[in-house]
Amino acid sequence: MAVTLNCDMGESYGLYKVGDDVGMMPIIDVANVACGFHASDPDHMHAAVRGAKASGVKIGAHPGLPDIQGFGRREMRLTRDEVRNTIIYQVGALAGFLKAEGVELHHIKPHGSLYFMAMQQEAIAHGVCDAAEVFGVPLFGMTGTLHEKIYQERGIPFIAEFYADLDYDASGKLILTRVHDAKDPAEMAERCVRAISKREGTAEDGSFFPVRCETICVHSDTPNAIEIARAVRTAIAPWH
């Protein structure tokens, strides 16, 4: 299966701009569009959907925790039903804009701390699955975590994701930060090639851990996201 390049985007809010969505669209294959709880609003959601459609980019929902001030990167205590309902609410909003533009929903990918919570908490992972079943779409997630285990046990198509602009610890766990730092595009591209060709992720201490990579993510709010995306896109061309 070809490896795709995806981007978390559509995260501007009101007059506040986050990331260069217009510049990113020609580079990526898949857009994960914020749905209003951690970022975005109706106008920016619509703009992201229209931009992706114009560029032939597939569109997935990127629902997060209801925490705009913390950008969805602060953990909250939620029940399984609360997770299900908060995702259905957000994806339902995006689905309205997709319908207005005649575009299908491609997948769901939880954002930030919600993504991390589903990696480690069974009830949260099941809540994510409960919502995904409503829309009948695949879920993006990380190998070696409850994403892979529970999503697949529930019979939901699972797309293994690798991050081009985040660090991992020696155990292969993502290191979540409130603010993303700029990264060396060439080094990040090299890590992506290793993840695809050798099925090895690179930890911040230089060690390696097992990984599977079917799609690679770049965040639109990484300061040099465009440069990273271009370098990765060129590097993964043999597998794209």
Side-chain angles (χ1 to χ4, degrees):
M1 185 174 71
V3 176
T4 60
L5 183 60
N6 76 77
C7 181
D8 298 349
M9 60 197 321
E11 294 177 320
S12 296
Y13 185 84
L15 298 179
Y16 300 94
K17 182 181 178 181
V18 178
D20 183 0
D21 290 357
V22 174
M24 188 68 78
M25 286 298 184
I27 307 170
I28 63 173
D29 305 293
V30 182
N32 312 308
V33 177
C35 300
F37 271 24
H38 76 277
S40 198
D41 59 31
D43 292 333
H44 287 293
M45 288 171 67
H46 190 202
V49 169
R50 292 184 69 182
K53 177 184 177 181
S55 296
V57 171
K58 291 180 170 55
I59 302 169
H62 198 36
L65 297 174
D67 179 21
I68 287 179
Q69 184 175 1
F71 206 72
R73 290 173 180 162
R74 302 185 292 192
E75 188 167 327
M76 299 175 67
R77 291 187 177 220
L78 297 176
T79 67
R80 173 174 172 172
D81 283 346
E82 287 172 331
V83 170
R84 173 187 182 273
N85 293 338
T86 197
I87 293 175
I88 290 174
Y89 187 96
Q90 293 176 79
V91 179
L94 181 64
F97 291 111
L98 293 174
K99 185 174 183 179
E101 295 295 328
V103 181
E104 296 293 326
L105 179 68
H106 180 261
H107 68 280
I108 295 172
K109 174 190 168 181
H111 163 83
S113 283
L114 183 57
Y115 187 92
F116 271 67
M117 289 159 64
M119 286 169 52
Q120 304 171 74
Q121 302 176 40
E122 290 193 7
I124 305 301
H126 279 294
V128 171
C129 291
D130 294 341
E133 286 180 340
V134 171
F135 295 97
V137 294
L139 286 165
F140 280 17
M142 285 188 61
T143 56
T145 73
L146 292 181
H147 291 170
E148 183 173 38
K149 179 178 183 293
I150 290 180
Y151 297 173
Q152 292 189 145
E153 286 178 354
R154 291 283 299 270
I156 296 172
F158 169 75
I159 299 174
E161 184 173 42
F162 183 77
Y163 284 85
D165 57 357
L166 293 183
D167 289 323
Y168 293 78
D169 66 20
S171 70
K173 181 180 178 182
L174 274 173
I175 299 173
L176 181 64
T177 57
R178 288 282 297 279
V179 178
H180 294 158
D181 297 325
K183 301 291 185 183
D184 181 341
E187 181 182 352
M188 298 304 103
E190 182 180 342
R191 290 185 182 185
C192 292
V193 169
R194 177 179 284 274
I196 299 169
S197 62
K198 297 187 177 181
R199 294 198 169 194
E200 291 180 341
T202 305
E204 61 176 352
D205 65 0
S207 63
F208 304 110
F209 57 89
V211 73
R212 187 159 58 86
C213 173
E214 295 171 338
T215 189
I216 294 169
C217 178
V218 176
H219 292 84
S220 66
D221 64 322
T222 298
N224 60 335
I226 296 289
E227 290 77 12
I228 294 172
R230 285 175 176 156
V232 170
R233 183 63 180 259
T234 299
I236 69 170
W239 299 276
H240 186 261

